[in-house]
Amino acid sequence: MDLVHSCHVRARASAHPVRTPTGWAHLQYLETSLALLAGDLERAAAGADAVGDALWRVRKFAAASTRSSLLAVIHAESGRFDDALTAFSVMESTTYSTSSAWLKAWILAAAGRDH
């Protein structure tokens, strides 16, 4: 984690939403992931929105699905399984629906459901 935090500091110093929009999007994803790992779900939820906004500028095809998958995990981690499934539903209409089926299964298992 020391190496991750060191890289985060360097990325934060060099990434910019206009000058380096792809780097900025990756930084937003990193910060959201770190918040999630730290259990700071409120900061992670705000980060998911920031990731979606940043990706909209550089990877429109992945912006909504990335945001929704992050929110699905965040909601599931907070025990809000219906909200997690609602967030995940965005994924079901994308090209990522098959490869992300594990996430829905994980949410359902965490909720003690089979469907």
Side-chain angles (χ1 to χ4, degrees), residues 44-69:
D49 289 336
V51 169
D53 291 345
L55 283 175
W56 185 253
R57 292 184 208 115
V58 294
R59 303 280 188 274
K60 286 184 171 113
F61 65 90
S65 57
T66 302
R67 179 183 177 272
S68 69
S69 63

Side-chain angles (χ1 to χ4, degrees), residues 20 41 43 59 62 66 84-85 103 105-106:
T20 58
L41 301 180
R43 186 168 51 107
R59 303 280 188 274
T66 302
L85 292 169
L103 179 55
W106 174 74

Side-chain angles (χ1 to χ4, degrees), residues 5-107:
H5 288 294
S6 174
C7 291
H8 175 232
V9 168
R10 288 194 310 272
R12 176 51 76 178
S14 63
H16 187 274
V18 175
R19 291 189 311 269
T20 58
T22 301
W24 183 256
H26 288 283
L27 175 65
Q28 298 308 303
Y29 191 90
L30 170 64
E31 290 181 344
T32 302
S33 299
L34 289 172
L36 188 56
L37 283 172
D40 188 345
L41 301 180
E42 187 174 314
R43 186 168 51 107
D49 289 336
V51 169
D53 291 345
L55 283 175
W56 185 253
R57 292 184 208 115
V58 294
R59 303 280 188 274
K60 286 184 171 113
F61 65 90
S65 57
T66 302
R67 179 183 177 272
S68 69
S69 63
L70 286 167
L71 288 174
V73 171
I74 292 162
H75 293 320
E77 287 292 329
S78 64
R80 295 171 33 215
F81 300 111
D82 289 333
D83 291 340
L85 292 169
T86 298
F88 179 82
S89 69
V90 170
M91 298 290 289
E92 294 175 321
S93 65
T94 71
T95 59
Y96 304 111
S97 62
T98 303
S99 63
S100 63
W102 68 269
L103 179 55
K104 184 174 184 179
W106 174 74
I107 294 166

